[in-house]
Amino acid sequence: MISLATKQGAARRFAAVALAVSPLVFIAGCANKSASSNVYTYGQAQREQIVRMGTVISSRPIVIQDDQSSGVGMGAGAAIGGVAASTIGGGRGQTLATIGGALLGGLLGNAIENRVGKTDGLEITVRLDNGETRVIAQEADIQFVPGQRVQLLSGTGPTRVVPAPAQY
């Protein structure tokens, strides 16, 4: 039977790990990447861009996946899983439970981080007025339909597809 002192010690360890990991999770959550045509970084702001006019040929839904895992999800999951599982059993069983909890927590944390790193996007095919065809992938925050007039904005950074002003 597990004594009250053992349970309190495990609860303190869990609280300490959660307190240590929380800032990392918060900081990782603040590092948002964006593939939106409406979002500019500070380095892209106030820079001249080239504008090319065109017409949407097609657009199709895609998924934009963050290509770099920060490891925070795996680390946080492993720490929390290991501490939580360390309250199970005693002796060798407790050690095995802690290792198993850390492994399962790490896998779960990594899976959560990968799911959070996915964004709905569009692959937009545009025929430029000069006859060339371009395909641009970006977040699906603006919908496009075939025949719609658009502008392709490019220069320093990504190429963006945005609806053309009414006069075009």
Side-chain angles (χ1 to χ4, degrees), residues 48-53 128 150-155 162 165 168:
E48 181 179 16
Q49 294 194 42
I50 298 167
V51 178
R52 295 174 290 166
M53 299 302 300
L128 298 174
V150 293
Q151 294 178 326
L152 268 63
L153 308 175
S154 57
V162 298
Y168 292 100

Side-chain angles (χ1 to χ4, degrees), residues 53-136:
M53 299 302 300
T55 303
V56 174
I57 296 173
S58 66
S59 70
R60 70 179 185 98
I62 60 169
V63 174
I64 300 171
Q65 173 71 51
D66 189 359
D67 59 348
Q68 294 181 343
S69 174
S70 68
V72 172
M74 183 182 294
I80 292 171
V83 171
S86 71
T87 63
I88 299 171
R92 180 175 232 156
Q94 185 178 25
T95 302
L96 292 175
T98 301
I99 292 169
L103 289 172
L104 289 175
L107 290 172
L108 182 61
N110 189 53
I112 290 170
E113 183 177 4
N114 285 338
R115 179 62 196 128
V116 169
K118 290 184 179 180
T119 304
D120 290 335
L122 287 175
E123 180 185 84
I124 308 150
T125 304
V126 177
R127 167 111 352 104
L128 298 174
D129 289 352
N130 68 6
E132 295 177 0
T133 302
R134 297 285 186 258
V135 177
I136 295 92

